[in-house]
Amino acid sequence: MNVNDKRCFFPGERMETHSQILDRLRSAFRSGITVPEVFRQAQLKQLMSLMTENEDQILDALKKDLSKPKFESIIAEVDMVINELHFTIANLNSWMQPEYVSKNLATKLDDCFVRREPLGVVLIIGPWNYPLQLLLSPLIAAIGAGNCAILKPSEVSAATDALVAELIPKYMSQDCYAVVRGAAEETKALLKNRFDHIFYTGSQAVARHILHAAADHLTPVTLELGGKCPCLIYGKVNITYAARRLAWSKFFNTGQSCVAPDFLVCSKATRDALLPALRQTLEDFYSKEPESSADLPRIVSPRHWTRLMELLKRSKGKVVMGGESNEENKYIAPTVLVDVAEDDALMEEEIFGPFLPILTAETLEEAIALINRQEKPLALYVFSEESSVVNTVLEKSSSGGFCSNDGIIHMALPTLPFGGVGASGFGSYHGRWGFETLSHQRAVMLRGWTLERLNGLRYPPYTEDKLSWLRWTTSAKPSCSLM
Amino acid sequence: MERQAVQRAREAFLSGRARAVEFRLQQLHGVKRMITENETEISTALKQDINRSQYDTPLLELIGIETEIKLAIGKLAEWAAPRSVERNLLTISDEVYVQPEPLGVVLIIGAWNYPWALTLLPLVGAIAAGNAAVVKPSELSECSSLLLRALLPRYLDKDLYPVITGGVSETQELLRLRFDHVFFTGSGSVGKIVMEAAARHLTPVTLELGGKSPCYIDKNCDIRVACRRITWGKFVNCGQTCIAPDFILCEPCIQGRVVECLRLTLLEFYGADPKCSPDYGRIINTHHFNRVMGLMEGYTPVIGGQSDASQRYIAPTVLKDVPPHSRLMQEEIFGPLLPIVAVSDMEDAIRFINEREKPLALYIFCSDKKAAKKMIEETSSGGVVVNDVMMHYTLSSLPFGGVGQSGMGRYHGKHTFDQLSHQRGCLIRSLGMENVNLSRYPPQDRRRARRVRMALRAPLIDMSKRTFIWAVTATVIGFGLFVALMVILLIAAGLNCTCWYWRGFYNYW
């Protein structure tokens, strides 16, 4: 029993401490109820009903939190969760099957396979930028893998936080899945408890605290962090199309995406050709008055708005597009800056807002050297019609994911692993990757009672003869034709 | 000094030379040569460290390493190649694949009980994955670690794979530095320290820890064979194996028989006085000798119990009717003491196991396949072997690793390669087909939105049974129609041919 439970209770919430919730979920897990496929599928279908029956409420909450336009809410939140559900429901049975492995001579007559087993109680901590999708996609993986889960939505996206807390207990098994609300203090207290896996999406600073807390209990962790995702434009390229895709990925959710292209690197000539194309694109997308466009979201909170405006003030770059803002409705115009140096304020941390700094490097090699001086990002983008340019960047850089000639869209494929490397995190999910991350791969070997004479080779007293035989039977024979 | 070696390894990695598959193969061949050319020296070092018999060395360490190297060499090209994945409608004309990539500089902290296997197996995987690696062997197996420090630079790239020897303070220094992955084998308490240190740099870790691996003997099984297998697993390396059967669970009615079979087997393996057997090992050092002897305090063993502090010798010892709350049952024994704990039946055994931390291995001796399956399903452990012990370690296609307090991550064979790689999701698009993209740009309306939703829908191919049946039926019908068409055409052509034939014939006449 954790006496350090710090809880503040929200209206309608069950009056339980963190430890009590954990105990309840753990007993449910121990009873084995989450293991059969039937249960997992039923819960996934319940989650599907949650999504389809409450679309209006979801869109409302996202509008309240981020002024998210309906299109973005549908594409990047609702549909992504529904797609993930479809994919998991359709494939769960095959993922759950035991995986028979190749054997050596000593184990030829044995049953050797890998069982995917649930871990136990998984803690899922969500962020505020895609508050539904980045909380529920890991939940889908957790349910599919047969775990119980505690969801901790971000308090910054308050409307979604409240909605999740209301809907999850209504649709999902209350014994197996719980929602815990609260801010930093409550999360710290929650982390003192022991979990079987912690799945965190958010910032590096908080990730360190989480890892420290997890180390105390030897709890495995998945960290989906961010970073400055660079975008390079080199070689022959259709500048209009590149400008469109770049602008779309950058200003989607007004730049508040972990995989948004953070900054651009190109030659001076490319920059000069790009700027008019970008200007035209922004006008096409958001009209001459972006503040009045229904398709541009807002910054999530006054605190983040202030952070961004401070960054802009400290930057030594020149604003060539946008720059307008309105504190009252947390609006910042899509802004492009040039003459940004590598040590500029905008290059200190992940921007997570609608500022696109353009840095110049005359050659591809210089650009690659520049991005390699930064930490490994969550995503890396290259716009070029020359495959040699794309391949060079691929080979000489590292990043969580990679996409050429577009942005963000690689996230929507459930067959690609979504995760970071280095400072952008570790572990991955989406589709089967999430199932594997939240499962334990248990090696199983079923031997018989016969062939004890063969076993005799390994027993003392040892002899040279026994050794040679053993060497032969345990070596891997990848192309053994006899057996 | 450690800092400089790590810095050099990082610079060597950044130079890019560890990436080429040919280079990795060359290094793997180097490790293989190092093992085969120095088998005698390695055996001698192990004899000095832990009194390992000359046969145990190849048996327990070298054969395993050689097998892993051969596998890596044979399969490396396949492992390192990109793997295509299924696409959706939007990406139907794109290249979509997962590319395994090196992480950077991996820190490998080895253990003293199998100083070569537990250091070189992760190293083989690190090399195969294209990483640089800093190897820190355990100072408790001093001769082995000094020998490794002397040998490795002779066979492998000097900058990419430095060996750093030393004790606790050197390890702490190392852990302050930043790595791209830390691979640790050892105890849970040190595992926590390693994970804490790695947390500062957000470094992922693989922890191969231990635990008390239970061994359940069902009353209806071949107890004689079971005890032979258990005796081997328990007393090899003098019980100092992370996956050794730690304790036995069985019903009181067979306890006597189990003890007798163990006694017979011990006689067969090590003779009347195991102290004189060349095949029986010793405890690594005085501290552990005292620790293990302390566990036995207050209990009278039914077999063994003798010891000799000057040699750090503890006889193979079996204790029965051990109470669950005794000291023997609180911590991992890691020595040649085998307690037998009584349980009333298999259900009781399952309950006993589940009340404790998840172990690294679970062993079940049972002739009833269904009962064994039930036990597997109702418990959790790193790995499980039915009717034997430890053999899952020898099959590199099986992932080897713990769960819960017994560790996180897995390795052996391709699993090491995957563990020490980054799986990078890649989407290669072209700038063409921009019209398809137009629907997703603002300003948005309902019609455009609907088009985008369609394009992003997954799965592309509906895998449900109904669709499958429909697809098969459609294919059969289509094929049938095609065959019918061909038959009609052939007949028509045949008639034509026949026509011409007769005409020719007629002309001829």
Side-chain angles (χ1 to χ4, degrees):
Chain A
M1 177 82 173
N2 184 2
V3 297
N4 288 324
D5 273 346
K6 253 193 176 89
R7 279 220 73 179
C8 54
F9 294 96
F10 292 82
E13 251 195 316
R14 268 166 97 145
M15 305 287 277
E16 278 178 311
T17 62
H18 292 156
S19 321
Q20 284 169 333
I21 297 177
L22 253 168
D23 285 340
R24 180 160 57 81
L25 262 53
R26 239 180 242 301
S27 337
F29 180 75
R30 281 211 185 99
S31 74
I33 189 177
T34 57
V35 175
E37 191 194 337
V38 172
F39 178 85
R40 304 184 203 187
Q41 293 280 16
Q43 292 302 308
L44 289 170
K45 294 198 170 85
Q46 281 297 107
L47 192 55
M48 182 79 88
S49 306
L50 186 161
M51 296 301 297
T52 48
E53 289 169 18
N54 297 281
E55 195 173 287
D56 288 331
Q57 279 180 279
I58 291 172
L59 295 178
D60 259 333
L62 290 167
K63 190 123 193 96
K64 271 202 199 95
D65 284 331
L66 287 143
S67 296
K68 246 190 228 230
K70 180 170 166 181
F71 176 79
E72 286 195 11
S73 296
I74 298 279
I75 292 298
E77 302 250 24
V78 174
D79 268 11
M80 278 206 66
V81 174
I82 292 181
N83 279 347
E84 190 73 31
L85 277 166
H86 276 305
F87 195 78
T88 306
I89 289 171
N91 292 291
L92 186 60
N93 182 276
S94 70
W95 297 346
M96 282 177 67
Q97 297 306 314
E99 180 198 345
Y100 284 84
V101 299
S102 59
K103 299 179 276 198
N104 57 24
L105 210 53
T107 48
K108 217 55 178 187
L109 298 178
D110 306 325
D111 259 340
C112 303
F113 57 92
V114 181
R115 261 176 67 97
R116 264 80 180 165
E117 300 185 343
L119 295 169
V121 181
V122 178
L123 171 63
I124 300 170
I125 303 178
W128 51 258
N129 57 337
Y130 293 88
L132 199 68
Q133 189 246 114
L134 294 176
L135 187 70
L136 296 187
S137 292
L139 176 63
I140 295 170
I143 298 172
N147 300 294
C148 290
I150 294 188
L151 294 172
K152 164 67 192 76
S154 171
E155 73 283 6
V156 178
S157 42
T160 314
D161 182 16
L163 186 63
V164 167
E166 178 203 325
L167 291 179
I168 291 279
K170 228 166 88 176
Y171 284 82
M172 316 285 296
S173 157
Q174 291 199 29
D175 288 329
C176 302
Y177 315 105
V179 180
V180 170
R181 301 176 64 189
E185 279 304 308
E186 287 80 17
T187 312
K188 258 197 212 129
L190 181 61
L191 283 167
K192 288 205 172 73
N193 292 283
R194 181 174 161 184
F195 296 91
D196 298 290
H197 195 104
I198 299 177
F199 194 109
Y200 172 72
T201 309
S203 74
Q204 286 172 20
V206 177
R208 279 193 186 88
H209 286 297
I210 292 186
L211 262 186
H212 278 296
D216 255 343
H217 297 290
L218 286 173
T219 301
V221 180
T222 301
L223 297 179
E224 296 275 329
L225 311 177
K228 296 182 72 60
C229 301
C231 179
L232 276 62
I233 307 185
Y234 283 89
K236 178 162 165 284
V237 67
N238 181 322
I239 210 78
T240 319
Y241 293 175
R244 268 200 224 135
R245 297 182 188 190
L246 173 59
W248 182 80
S249 339
K250 175 68 188 188
F251 300 110
F252 196 89
N253 206 24
T254 206
Q256 298 167 114
S257 313
C258 38
V259 286
D262 189 277
F263 63 97
L264 184 59
V265 188
C266 59
S267 66
K268 285 204 176 75
T270 310
R271 181 199 63 190
D272 294 336
L274 181 67
L275 288 175
L278 265 179
R279 201 166 277 125
Q280 184 59 50
T281 305
L282 288 177
E283 204 181 295
D284 290 340
F285 284 5
Y286 307 115
S287 82
K288 284 200 169 72
E289 309 283 318
E291 197 173 350
S292 60
S293 161
D295 295 315
L296 194 63
R298 297 289 181 264
I299 306 301
V300 72
S301 70
R303 187 167 73 89
H304 284 87
W305 185 93
T306 310
R307 176 188 70 86
L308 285 164
M309 295 314 293
E310 283 293 300
L311 265 183
L312 189 61
K313 212 164 71 183
R314 286 197 301 125
S315 169
K316 297 195 175 66
K318 188 171 94 181
V319 175
V320 293
M321 266 174 255
E324 302 89 28
S325 58
N326 183 343
E327 188 167 2
E328 210 183 299
N329 63 7
K330 297 174 289 175
Y331 164 75
I332 301 180
T335 304
V336 180
L337 302 95
V338 298
D339 300 333
V340 177
E342 219 176 314
D343 57 0
D344 190 86
L346 283 172
M347 293 300 288
E348 280 168 15
E349 55 180 77
E350 191 176 357
I351 294 171
F352 227 66
F355 303 145
L356 178 62
I358 304 183
L359 285 72
T360 47
E362 285 315 301
T363 63
L364 182 62
E365 283 65 39
E366 280 170 40
I368 292 175
L370 194 160
I371 63 177
N372 283 342
R373 282 196 285 275
Q374 305 275 326
E375 290 293 345
K376 294 180 192 178
L378 188 53
L380 178 55
Y381 302 108
V382 177
F383 283 88
S384 181
E385 284 171 57
E386 290 172 42
S387 58
S388 57
V389 169
V390 174
N391 288 332
T392 310
V393 180
L394 256 174
E395 281 160 30
K396 294 205 164 19
S397 67
S398 184
S399 61
F402 180 90
C403 180
S404 68
N405 294 322
D406 214 327
I408 300 184
I409 214 87
H410 64 293
M411 249 202 90
L413 268 166
T415 44
L416 279 180
F418 180 64
V421 67
S424 49
F426 51 80
S428 61
Y429 70 125
H430 282 183
R432 189 174 194 165
W433 302 92
F435 176 84
E436 297 283 347
T437 297
L438 297 181
S439 300
H440 167 52
Q441 290 185 21
R442 190 180 191 192
V444 183
M445 185 181 274
L446 307 176
R447 310 207 81 196
W449 295 99
T450 54
L451 291 185
E452 182 58 7
R453 293 219 59 183
L454 190 65
N455 263 353
L457 290 177
R458 72 191 198 211
Y459 299 150
Y462 301 129
T463 62
E464 201 58 61
D465 248 354
K466 279 184 179 178
L467 195 55
S468 348
W469 275 104
L470 253 163
R471 280 199 132 106
W472 189 68
T473 59
T474 53
S475 62
K477 288 173 168 42
S479 54
C480 189
S481 49
L482 261 178
M483 308 279 277
Chain B
M1 201 213 78
E2 289 86 22
R3 207 174 278 268
Q4 285 170 353
V6 175
Q7 184 58 30
R8 261 200 315 272
R10 192 166 285 289
E11 278 158 20
F13 174 77
L14 289 170
S15 75
R17 68 175 181 273
R19 221 182 154 108
V21 172
E22 298 74 34
F23 179 86
R24 304 184 207 182
L25 287 171
Q26 193 193 66
Q27 299 301 305
L28 289 172
H29 280 290
V31 184
K32 187 144 115 342
R33 270 198 332 272
M34 180 181 84
I35 299 290
T36 44
E37 288 173 16
N38 297 280
E39 195 173 316
T40 322
E41 285 85 349
I42 294 173
S43 286
T44 313
L46 279 168
K47 183 120 188 106
Q48 287 171 329
D49 281 330
I50 201 171
N51 200 45
R52 184 76 69 71
S53 93
Q54 74 171 117
Y55 296 103
D56 260 339
T57 294
L59 178 61
L60 302 174
E61 303 221 39
L62 304 186
I63 294 179
I65 302 171
E66 280 166 26
T67 311
E68 287 276 316
I69 297 174
K70 280 196 204 125
L71 181 69
I73 289 174
K75 295 276 187 175
L76 186 56
E78 188 188 308
W79 293 353
R83 301 159 212 178
S84 277
V85 298
E86 201 186 302
R87 297 167 283 192
N88 59 18
L89 208 56
L90 180 71
T91 50
I92 196 80
S93 60
D94 304 324
E95 256 182 80
V96 188
Y97 58 89
V98 178
Q99 174 67 58
E101 297 191 340
L103 291 170
V105 183
V106 178
L107 172 63
I108 298 170
I109 303 177
W112 52 259
N113 54 338
Y114 294 90
W116 295 87
L118 298 178
T119 318
L120 292 182
L121 250 59
L123 178 62
V124 164
I127 296 173
N131 299 297
V134 174
V135 180
K136 164 69 189 66
S138 170
E139 68 281 13
L140 293 190
S141 45
E142 200 182 349
C143 303
S144 294
S145 84
L146 291 173
L147 181 59
L148 184 66
R149 191 179 71 182
L151 287 179
L152 211 66
R154 269 193 250 156
Y155 292 85
L156 299 188
D157 185 298
K158 286 184 188 39
D159 292 323
L160 281 167
Y161 315 108
V163 178
I164 297 184
T165 50
V168 173
S169 58
E170 282 81 6
T171 314
Q172 279 171 339
E173 257 317 301
L174 263 182
L175 285 169
R176 275 194 201 105
L177 305 173
R178 184 178 173 186
F179 294 92
D180 299 290
H181 195 102
V182 178
F183 193 110
F184 170 78
T185 308
S187 73
S189 48
V190 181
K192 282 187 188 170
I193 298 172
V194 170
M195 195 170 164
E196 269 279 345
R200 247 176 282 134
H201 300 290
L202 292 175
T203 301
V205 301
T206 301
L207 301 177
E208 297 277 328
L209 311 176
K212 295 182 74 61
S213 299
C215 183
Y216 172 72
I217 306 178
D218 189 65
K219 67 173 187 267
N220 299 319
C221 77
D222 189 336
I223 296 179
R224 180 79 184 92
V225 173
C227 288
R228 292 186 89 217
R229 297 177 181 188
I230 294 169
T231 307
W232 169 76
K234 177 67 185 188
F235 298 106
V236 81
N237 209 32
C238 206
Q240 296 163 115
T241 310
C242 43
I243 43 170
D246 190 277
F247 62 97
I248 289 178
L249 289 171
C250 67
E251 290 178 43
C253 55
I254 59 163
Q255 212 176 171
R257 176 110 173 88
V258 167
V259 170
E260 265 326 289
C261 292
L262 290 170
R263 193 194 305 277
L264 279 169
T265 313
L266 281 168
L267 198 60
E268 197 189 311
F269 286 4
Y270 304 114
D273 187 6
K275 203 170 171 186
C276 306
S277 162
D279 300 327
Y280 189 69
R282 297 292 183 265
I283 303 297
I284 182 82
N285 63 17
T286 313
H287 161 75
H288 280 282
F289 174 85
N290 292 333
R291 180 187 63 81
V292 176
M293 290 305 294
L295 288 176
M296 254 204 294
E297 238 164 76
Y299 295 100
T300 312
V302 290
I303 302 176
Q306 304 87 353
S307 61
D308 180 348
S310 67
Q311 278 192 35
R312 299 186 314 269
Y313 164 79
I314 301 178
T317 303
V318 178
L319 306 97
K320 69 174 200 177
D321 292 319
V322 176
H325 53 264
S326 61
R327 246 193 90 189
L328 261 172
M329 292 305 293
Q330 298 313 310
E331 57 179 84
E332 190 176 356
I333 294 169
F334 227 68
L337 311 182
L338 181 54
I340 305 177
V341 178
V343 286
S344 50
D345 55 19
M346 189 183 248
E347 283 295 334
D348 195 20
I350 292 174
R351 205 175 8 251
F352 189 97
I353 293 167
N354 286 340
E355 275 166 7
R356 288 160 175 73
E357 294 296 346
K358 297 177 190 178
L360 187 53
L362 170 62
Y363 303 115
I364 306 171
F365 285 87
C366 182
S367 297
D368 180 355
K369 279 199 177 131
K370 260 173 118 172
K373 185 165 176 257
K374 178 170 138 77
M375 197 168 202
I376 295 175
E377 284 168 7
E378 292 181 15
T379 57
S380 183
S381 62
V384 58
V385 184
V386 174
N387 299 331
D388 208 340
V389 298
M390 313 207 309
M391 289 302 285
H392 62 304
Y393 183 90
T394 66
L395 193 56
S396 51
S397 50
L398 283 174
F400 183 74
V403 67
Q405 299 295 294
S406 50
M408 55 183 83
R410 64 198 73 90
Y411 74 127
H412 281 189
K414 182 167 186 282
H415 303 283
T416 329
F417 178 90
D418 285 339
Q419 185 84 163
L420 299 178
S421 299
H422 168 53
Q423 308 291 341
R424 192 183 195 185
C426 299
L427 172 58
I428 311 295
R429 311 204 76 200
S430 79
L431 278 170
M433 302 227 299
E434 181 61 0
N435 284 328
V436 175
N437 267 346
L438 289 177
S439 301
R440 77 187 202 210
Y441 300 143
Q444 272 302 326
D445 63 41
R446 205 173 297 160
R447 216 170 40 156
R448 295 173 102 180
R450 220 194 346 256
R451 252 180 261 149
V452 182
R453 289 184 89 161
M454 253 303 300
L456 287 172
R457 171 128 29 110
L460 176 61
I461 300 165
D462 179 0
M463 300 292 280
S464 70
K465 215 183 229 164
R466 211 173 46 181
T467 316
F468 178 72
I469 293 170
W470 182 91
V472 168
T473 320
T475 312
V476 167
I477 295 173
F479 189 68
L481 285 170
F482 176 72
V483 167
L485 181 66
M486 291 310 297
V487 166
I488 292 170
L489 281 173
L490 276 169
I491 291 175
L495 278 170
N496 230 4
C497 275
T498 325
C499 211
W500 282 115
Y501 173 74
W502 282 114
R503 204 180 290 175
F505 189 66
Y506 187 71
N507 280 342
Y508 176 74
W509 275 102

